[in-house]
Amino acid sequence: MPRIRAASVAEHRTMQRQALLDAARSLLSEGGTEALTFPALAERTGLARSSVYEYFRSRAAVVEELCAVDFPVWAAEVEAAMQAADTAEGQIEAYVRSQLALVGDRRHRAVVAISAGELDAGAREKIRAAHGGLVTMVGAALAALGHAEPRLTAMLLQGVVDAAVRRIELGAAEDPVHITESAVTMALHGVTGHP
């Protein structure tokens, strides 16, 4: 009987931790990093504020856990899209399109809010490492196309993607589909817009 009770306590704690992360995603996507406070987390989850501290010691700890949980899922989706492409150009197009398709996803909105905020060095390093993984993924495709500096080109390409993400997130005058097509064109053909 004690073993069953221990398992149910562990399951309960896991569910509460997941509820806190879900609440954090919502708060970040709705109001940015300023909205992510322990009182707000407590209110969203129905927990006492002191209970939130049992799971996370600081706001940065919440952010670090979100990065640890969400970035790998997001990166796996981008990687799967790239692997489904037959050519290096197709992989680069998939790299851009798959990231921009995730903009409406709550996980992605939270990541954008996190990236824009003032965070401690640990959280910022996790974000850099995750973005580094994305850049590494596209570097091989760029090398296959003959780029002399695929890593640098990949980082610049990620800058184009990040700019398109911000444009879509801000609700720019252009339609998100048009922003995506423009980003793909720039990724594949540069500023000339044609091969």
Side-chain angles (χ1 to χ4, degrees):
M1 189 75 165
R3 200 176 289 163
I4 293 170
R5 180 155 174 74
S8 91
V9 168
E11 288 171 5
H12 180 70
R13 288 191 58 79
T14 299
M15 288 179 5
Q16 284 188 325
R17 188 176 201 87
Q18 188 57 52
L20 286 165
L21 291 174
D22 285 343
R25 285 182 195 98
S26 294
L27 289 165
L28 285 164
S29 64
E30 292 165 12
T33 52
E34 301 80 32
L36 181 59
T37 65
F38 278 26
L41 284 171
E43 183 179 325
R44 287 279 173 110
T45 57
L47 295 171
R49 190 184 317 179
S50 60
S51 295
V52 176
Y53 283 99
E54 290 177 28
Y55 293 92
F56 300 103
R57 69 188 182 292
S58 66
R59 191 167 76 146
V62 177
V63 168
E64 286 181 39
E65 179 125 354
L66 281 174
C67 290
V69 170
D70 290 348
F71 266 110
V73 173
W74 181 27
E77 290 176 23
V78 174
E79 186 173 18
M82 289 179 69
Q83 287 176 346
D86 295 333
T87 64
E89 290 93 344
Q91 289 174 341
I92 292 166
E93 181 174 349
Y95 178 82
V96 174
R97 285 190 188 282
S98 60
Q99 286 190 68
L100 297 180
L102 290 169
V103 172
D105 185 298
R106 201 168 51 116
R107 290 170 302 152
H108 185 269
R109 286 196 308 267
V111 165
V112 170
I114 289 167
S115 299
E118 295 297 321
L119 302 171
D120 71 13
R124 200 153 291 286
E125 185 52 41
K126 286 189 189 246
I127 291 169
R128 266 194 290 277
H131 273 279
L134 289 175
V135 168
T136 299
M137 277 191 263
V138 78
L142 291 163
L145 288 175
H147 281 274
E149 296 186 62
R151 177 115 180 115
L152 174 60
T153 305
M155 289 187 284
L156 295 173
L157 174 58
Q158 186 60 45
V160 170
V161 173
D162 292 343
V165 165
R166 282 191 300 277
R167 201 86 187 132
I168 293 169
E169 283 284 335
L170 291 172
E174 303 90 4
D175 180 63
V177 172
H178 180 66
I179 294 170
T180 298
E181 294 307 320
S182 295
V184 168
T185 299
M186 181 163 280
L188 295 176
H189 308 296
V191 295
T192 63
H194 53 80

